[in-house]
């Protein structure tokens, strides 16, 4: 098999354009130099790929800060991008009909996209501040989140989506199928390069607006090149000079402008304080606001620490009750969310060694710079060791044993934090405890209310802890607290007062009356009964029910109507779902076998389910790695790049294959086999997870695991990518003869599949069904398309015969 | 495929679907109704709302929709509620803004009577209420819902839901509550957690019963009640903590969906009535902490209510829908307190900052600390018969 690499692409383009009259020849000004214009077109398509990817990653980052991101809002943002990108490419397919001039439109939209990026970043910050009915400091409800996502990433997505079918049309050649596949491959190369540049170079070094303005300059340069490549050959010097001067001017302007624009934009987002620090670490955005000498540290837009006056009431309450639950908490481990108060209050007890793990080293730097006495004391205490590493990974590798393990103050709203509340994690904690050791965690709560999602969330984690520990205790409060141990937990007001006396800490906030109120037996009994009686499934690494309920709890404050809609859906009688399902089967049958475009529909459907599978591979590789190793932020780019590189390689090989094998039956057979392989790789993910888990104890397990996961992402990407050119080659008329329309249709299907996969898998299937069942479901779906392709091949055979 | 084929296909699909649809109901029929599992289903995001327009719940002697007070009948079975400043016009089958008063065929009914969703013993200081039996506990009672929509509500779990959405509500008559208070040996009952105006009839009857049985009564309110029901209620209330959320109409409108004037009227009425009054101002950075606004508010309190009304500046922490607003800087609270003292108010404290000196109360005469507080803990009371032990100055409040 001949491999096609990146270096071969220009030659492919050139060789195609030599075959005869092209669409471009009809639709655009005659190029002065064919090879020069081909190179410019190639660069422009690469830019479409890289600019789109950087723009997408950039906007996701900006919107995560604006929305104070959890996976639900992340899902909405990604869904919005894919949906609008899909709609754009469909529209682009329509615009790219052979009888239209696409060149000018392409150039115009390329510029518009690059101009839109900085504009929507400012818009996102403005919408996130106190505008359109929101007040400063108020979180956006679901409606606002959708609206903002549409107005920002949606708008850029649609512009970018139109560009792809147009770029397919721009490539020379009289084989539309080749044009489409080629444009797809070049875009993938651009996207891989874009994601690598963003993740490894730009993300932590440059602000959102400077990146977007830099992209604007790059677009200006490429557009100038593109225009020059088709301009009058007689005066190249002047044209180049004009281009160079305008690009330089743009560069200088953006250099000076970016900082001011960034400051202005962020002051719209955070009007409630003066921004004194804004850092993008590999793990998230860290900002510090100052108001009246009080510094508030925001992590991804959410206040996490206030200095010099932390929330003493709740921090001391959590720290002291945790410490009081153990007769002698000599060795303590605090996992994240603890600097700036919690750790200080724990150290007020006779703790000999306190180990604190913090995933984000940049946060430690920011806190050190604040020069707050509380944090300085925490940093300099001889009793404390700070470990800048994921807490779970630390626990896995550490040989140390602890009397008290305190899970820091984090919400169970993201998959990243949910990892600290699963059965697997609790087992890990139990194995690192000394006899009589206690684990403490804090959960959303209320002294007056424990119902609905709140009760379900508390019940889920309480019961998960009960699977691992023999004794579990709930302490209700404004934040509920769960204590778990294999020995009976002695925490009543009398014992707590005695331990306080013993430690010389009795008095102040912790009086007998306060303890009697906080540890009131009646309330503890009532609330414990609720969490024991509420039926809940355990929270597991690969079935994160806690995360799902955490999102639900967020929804109960921000989208109560959406929760009502869910409950209405649940109340629909089962038979109606049966009817809807059969109706869907009927409609599918019509579209896949009876409609005039049945063949095209079958291929489109296959590509869309491959989109689902490709997204599933991505999501699962990330989730598995995150669950086991924690640190995925840098690796996200690596896995995505590996997957896209696989797509490129698979696509390039398949494209070469379609050129060599003129026989459509052979192509159809190959498409079918690839589909079966994708289905098998879906179920093959389970052994991979097992293997990754087994590797955790080995030296270099992080490296080995990442390599294995990247290799898996590469292979699955290659399988998915290879299907695209094959489906393109099999497309019947009238799509066959119009590159733009075909590209629009298949690309839209691919994106919509990705969208459905991303949203459904992350937010519903995975948390509710768990990994194994989700994979099985996807396997069945992919098997169904394999059967469809088999039937399609038979029909082709029959037609040929 | 022609159109006839298509119709045949759709018809066959629908028929098949109909047959298939019968299978689950058949299976379910075999299994029975499944008991009360719905009630305790944990893996669901359901918040169990019921539609307001459903027929009236059974009127047992305990949990019942009793007829509301303070309303007028209108045309076509509609009613006008006169209980709070919203003055809702409620058509038949609908609920008022507070969700708790519904029009059932031309009769306005209170849906939360006898249905407290929270009953708990809490420190009096938590209210906050500083000049009322310091160091004691009270029986706190709340139901559900509110006539405000504050985006920073600390008790949003109860206040921003209707009683139908609170499934674990109890059934307690006024007599039951008084018995509970007596058995828990607390000297007072407090109507708190959610806005008591929206359970007015229940609050009123409990207050009457409690007073008769020798208990004290407190209410913690947003002050959005109309004057007549307030006057009638105050005859049975010993002390009130009123939230003065800001001295700005804009704040009330934009952040609470409410109005300032009714609150000011309520404050004046309580003071005139002689009921013990304390005011809470939760300071939200950037929203209601402007020094000029604070000064104006304190000046109004001094001139309209007198300098002896305790004023509590409370620290805000992110909650409910305002989870990205920074906590109030302590220096902002201290500045507010300085302004209030400059304006001549005698008792100004800072809340939600445990350990802060201004958590405690001081004698306005000799500046000696008369009550030492850390959060809800009272460690020292330097009062004798309501007078400062240091200088003998009488300190207003309810001390025994
Ligand atoms: S009490 Fe309720 S129904 Fe009556 S006016 Fe106020 S909000 Fe409307």
């Amino acid at each position: 098999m001949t491999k096609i690499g990146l270096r071969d692409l220009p030659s492919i383009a050139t060789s195609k354009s030599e075959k005869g009259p092209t669409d471009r020849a009809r639709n655009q000004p005659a190029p002065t130099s064919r090879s020069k214009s081909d190179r410019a077109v190639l660069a422009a398509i690469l830019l479409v790929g890289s600019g789109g990817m950087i723009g997408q990653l950039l906007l996701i980052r900006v919107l995560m800060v604006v929305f104070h991101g959890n996976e639900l809002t992340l899902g909405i943002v990604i869904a919005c991008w894919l949906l609008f990108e899909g709609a754009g490419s469909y529209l682009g397919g329509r615009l790219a009909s052979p009888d239209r001039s696409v060149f000018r439109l392409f150039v115009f939209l390329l510029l518009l996209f690059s101009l839109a990026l900085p504009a929507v970043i400012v818009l996102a910050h403005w919408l996130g501040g106190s505008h359109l009915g929101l007040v400063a400091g108020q979180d956006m409800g679901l409606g606002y989140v959708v609206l903002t996502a549409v107005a920002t990433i949606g708008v850029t997505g649609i512009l970018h989506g139109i560009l792809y079918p147009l770029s397919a049309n721009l490539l020379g050649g009289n084989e539309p199928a080749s044009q489409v596949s080629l444009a797809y491959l070049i875009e993938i190369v651009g996207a891989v390069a874009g994601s690598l540049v963003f993740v490894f170079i730009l993300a932590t070094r440059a602000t959102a607006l400077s990146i977007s303005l830099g992209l604007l300059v790059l677009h200006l340069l490429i557009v100038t090149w593109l225009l020059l490549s088709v301009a009058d050959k007689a005066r190249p010097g002047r044209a180049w000079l004009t281009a160079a001067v305008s690009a330089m001017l743009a560069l200088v302007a953006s250099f000076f402008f970016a900082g001011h624009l960034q400051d202005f934009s962020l002051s719209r987002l955070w009007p409630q304080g003066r921004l004194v620090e804004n850092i993008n670490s590999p793990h998230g955005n860290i900002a510090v606001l100052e108001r009246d000498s009080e510094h508030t540290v925001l992590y991804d837009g959410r206040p996490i620490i206030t200095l010099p006056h932390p929330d003493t009431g709740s921090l001391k309450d959590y720290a002291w009750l945790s410490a009081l639950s153990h007769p002698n908490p000599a060795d303590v481990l605090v996992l994240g969310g603890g600097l700036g108060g919690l750790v200080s209050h724990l150290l007020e007890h006779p703790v000999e060694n306190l180990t604190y793990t913090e995933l984000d080293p940049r946060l430690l730097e920011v806190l050190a710079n604040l020069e707050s006495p509380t944090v300085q004391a925490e940093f300099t205490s001889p009793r404390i060791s700070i470990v800048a590493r994921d807490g779970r990974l630390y626990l896995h590798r550490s040989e140390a044993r602890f009397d008290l393990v305190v899970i820091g103050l984090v919400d169970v709203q993201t998959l990243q934090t949910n990892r600290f509340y699963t059965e697997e994690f609790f087992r890990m904690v139990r194995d690192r405890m000394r006899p009589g050791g206690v684990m403490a965690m804090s959960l959303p709560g209320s002294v007056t209310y424990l119902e609905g999602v709140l009760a379900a969330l508390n019940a889920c984690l309480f019961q998960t802890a009960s699977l691992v520990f023999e004794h579990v205790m709930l302490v209700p409060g404004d934040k509920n607290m769960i204590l778990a141990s294999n020995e009976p937990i002695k925490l009543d007001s009398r014992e707590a007062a005695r331990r306080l006396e013993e430690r010389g800490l009795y008095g102040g906030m912790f009086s007998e009356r306060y303890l009697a109120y906080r540890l009131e037996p009646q309330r503890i009994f009532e609330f414990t009964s609720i969490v024991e009686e509420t039926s809940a499934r355990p929270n597991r690494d690969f079935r994160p029910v806690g995360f799902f309920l955490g999102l639900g709890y967020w929804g109960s404050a921000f989208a109560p109507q959406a929760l009502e809609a869910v409950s209405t859906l649940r109340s629909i009688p089962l038979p109606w779902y049966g009817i809807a399902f059969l109706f869907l089967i009927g409609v599918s049958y019509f579209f896949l076998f009876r409609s005039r475009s049945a063949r095209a529909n079958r291929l489109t459907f296959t590509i869309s389910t491959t989109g689902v599978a490709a997204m599933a591979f991505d999501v699962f590789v990330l989730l598995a790695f995150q669950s086991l190793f924690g640190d995925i932020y840098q690796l996200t780019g690596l896995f995505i790049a590996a997957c896209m590189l696989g797509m490129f390689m698979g696509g390039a090989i398949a494209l070469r294959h379609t050129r060599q094998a003129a026989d459509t039956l052979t192509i159809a057979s190959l498409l079918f086999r690839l589909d079966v392989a994708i289905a098998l790789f879906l179920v093959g993910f389970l052994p991979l997870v097992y293997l990754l888990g087994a590797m955790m104890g080995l030296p270099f397990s992080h490296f080995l695991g990442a390599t294995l996961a990247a290799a898996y992402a590469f292979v699955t990407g290659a399988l998915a990518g290879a299907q695209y050119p094959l489906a393109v080659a099999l497309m019947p008329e009238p799509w066959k003869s119009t590159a733009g329309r075909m590209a629009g249709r298949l690309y839209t299907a691919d994106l919509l599949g990705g969208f459905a996969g991303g949203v459904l898998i992350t937010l519903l299937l995975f948390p509710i069904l768990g990994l194994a069942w989700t994979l099985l479901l996807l396997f069945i779906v992919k098997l169904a398309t394999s059967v469809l392709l088999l039937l399609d091949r038979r029909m082709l055979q029959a037609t040929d015969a | 495929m022609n159109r006839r084929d298509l119709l045949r296909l759709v018809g066959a699909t629908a028929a098949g679907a109909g047959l298939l649809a019968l299978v689950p109901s058949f299976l379910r029929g075999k299994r029975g109704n499944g008991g009360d599992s719905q009630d305790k289903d944990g893996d669901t995001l359901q918040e169990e709302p019921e539609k307001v327009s459903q027929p009236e719940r059974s009127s047992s002697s305990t949990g019942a929709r009793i007829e509301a007070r303070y309303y007028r009948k209108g045309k076509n079975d509609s009613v006008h509620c006169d209980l709070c400043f919203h003055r809702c016009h409620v058509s038949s089958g609908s609920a008022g803004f507070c969700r708790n008063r519904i029009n059932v065929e031309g009769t306005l009914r209170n849906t939360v009577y006898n249905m407290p969703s929270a009953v708990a013993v809490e420190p009096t200081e938590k209210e906050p209420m500083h000049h009322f039996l310091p160091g004691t506990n009270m029986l706190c009672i709340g139901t559900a819902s509110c006539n405000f929509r504050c985006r920073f509500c600390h008790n949003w779990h109860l206040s921003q839901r209707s009683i139908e959405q609170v499934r674990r509500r109890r059934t307690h008559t006024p007599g039951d509550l008084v018995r509970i208070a007596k058995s828990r040996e607390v000297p007072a009952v407090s109507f708190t957690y959610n806005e008591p105006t929206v359970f007015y009839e229940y609050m009123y009857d409990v207050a009457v019963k409690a007073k008769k049985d020798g208990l004290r009564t407190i209410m913690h309110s947003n002050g959005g009640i109309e004057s007549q029901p307030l006057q009638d209620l105050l005859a049975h209330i010993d002390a009130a903590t009123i939230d003065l959320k800001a001295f700005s109409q804009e704040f009330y409108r934009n952040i609470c969906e409410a109005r300032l004037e009714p609150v000011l009227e309520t404050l004046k009425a309580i003071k005139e009535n002689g009921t013990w009054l304390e005011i809470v101002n939760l300071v939200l950075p950037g929203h209601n902490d402007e020094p000029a606004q604070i000064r104006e508010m304190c000046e109004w309190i001094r001139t309209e209510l007198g300098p002896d009304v305790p004023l509590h500046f409370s620290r805000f922490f992110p909650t409910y829908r305002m989870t990205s607003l920074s906590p109030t800087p302590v220096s902002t609270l201290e500045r507010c307190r300085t302004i209030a003292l400059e304006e001549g108010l005698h008792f100004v404290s800072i809340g939600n900052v445990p350990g802060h000196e201004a958590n405690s109360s001081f004698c306005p005469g000799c500046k000696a600390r008369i009550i030492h507080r850390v959060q809800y803990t009272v460690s020292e009371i330097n009062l004798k018969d309501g007078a400062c032990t240091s200088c003998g100055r009488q300190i207003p409040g309810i001390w025994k």
Side-chain angles (χ1 to χ4, degrees), chain B residues 81-88 90 96-98 101 147 197-198:
Chain B
C81 179
D82 295 327
L83 179 59
C84 88
F85 70 99
H86 279 293
R87 293 192 165 260
C88 295
V90 190
F97 182 85
C98 63
R101 293 161 88 79
N147 55 349
T197 304
V198 301

Side-chain angles (χ1 to χ4, degrees), chain A residues 233-528:
Chain A
K233 206 178 171 184
R235 292 168 147 172
R238 189 189 289 181
W240 274 109
L241 195 66
T242 318
V245 169
S246 62
M248 281 304 287
L249 281 176
L251 199 68
V252 171
S254 69
F255 182 76
F256 282 109
F257 194 45
H260 292 298
L261 192 59
Q262 180 78 13
D263 290 347
F264 166 79
S265 194
L266 288 176
S267 69
R268 305 291 98 187
L269 177 64
W270 292 310
Q272 71 269 32
R274 188 174 63 87
L275 186 67
V276 292
E277 187 94 74
N278 185 34
I279 288 174
N280 288 303
S281 84
H283 305 279
N285 174 270
I286 307 166
V288 181
L289 296 182
E290 190 266 341
R291 187 183 179 91
D292 276 356
S293 321
E294 196 87 39
H295 289 92
T296 304
V297 181
L298 310 178
Y299 203 91
D300 282 340
R302 194 175 289 280
I304 53 163
I305 300 167
T306 299
L307 295 166
H309 300 101
D311 179 4
T312 310
S314 64
L315 292 174
K316 188 169 179 169
D317 182 273
Y318 182 41
W320 279 36
L321 288 179
S322 301
L324 288 172
S325 67
H326 192 280
N328 178 26
D331 286 295
V332 176
L333 172 67
V334 181
L335 297 157
L339 287 177
L342 182 68
V343 162
S344 297
H345 289 304
L346 279 165
L347 288 174
E348 285 160 0
H349 287 256
V351 171
E352 286 167 22
N353 301 300
L354 189 149
T355 307
Y356 177 74
T357 64
E358 173 56 60
L359 177 63
D360 196 337
R362 297 300 299 274
L363 181 62
L364 298 176
E365 284 170 31
V366 169
L367 289 175
N369 288 341
L370 284 181
E371 293 174 4
S372 136
T374 310
V375 175
Q376 293 309 323
E378 288 170 343
F379 277 128
T380 53
S381 168
R383 292 185 287 156
I384 190 171
S385 341
I386 297 178
V387 181
R389 188 191 289 173
D390 172 55
R392 194 166 154 149
L393 197 60
Y394 167 79
L395 205 58
H396 190 85
R397 293 187 178 164
S398 169
E399 294 293 318
R401 292 293 178 270
F402 301 97
D403 300 304
L404 179 65
V405 177
V406 180
I407 302 173
L409 293 157
V410 286
D411 287 334
V412 203
Q413 268 174 24
T414 67
L415 285 163
Q416 164 69 18
T417 50
N418 184 68
R419 302 159 54 246
F420 292 94
Y421 298 88
T422 61
E423 187 186 336
E424 292 85 346
F425 176 71
F426 292 162
R427 288 191 193 286
M428 214 185 272
V429 171
R430 186 194 58 192
D431 296 343
R432 299 289 178 279
M433 273 183 180
R434 293 219 181 93
V438 178
M439 181 187 77
M441 61 178 149
S442 160
L443 298 174
S446 156
V447 278
T448 55
Y449 177 90
L450 191 58
E451 297 195 18
V453 195
L454 186 62
L457 175 61
N458 277 272
C460 168
L461 302 188
F462 184 92
Q463 292 174 24
T464 305
S466 304
L467 291 175
V468 179
F469 295 95
E470 280 173 35
H471 302 273
V472 182
M473 177 181 181
L474 178 83
V475 182
D478 289 330
K479 277 196 164 246
N480 290 340
M481 211 177 138
I482 290 178
L483 298 164
S485 175
N486 274 339
E487 304 286 330
I489 302 163
K490 239 181 147 194
L491 187 65
D492 54 47
S493 58
R494 195 175 299 171
E495 180 62 20
R498 196 191 63 74
R499 284 178 182 171
L500 282 175
E501 293 269 15
E502 200 176 86
R503 297 173 194 180
L505 294 171
Y506 185 81
M509 182 174 142
F510 270 72
S511 63
E512 200 178 323
R513 181 160 165 249
Y514 182 80
L515 288 168
Y517 159 65
R518 285 295 284 120
L519 301 170
E520 189 194 330
Q522 174 73 17
R523 193 181 343 228
I524 290 177
F525 173 77
E526 263 180 44
F527 280 59
T528 306

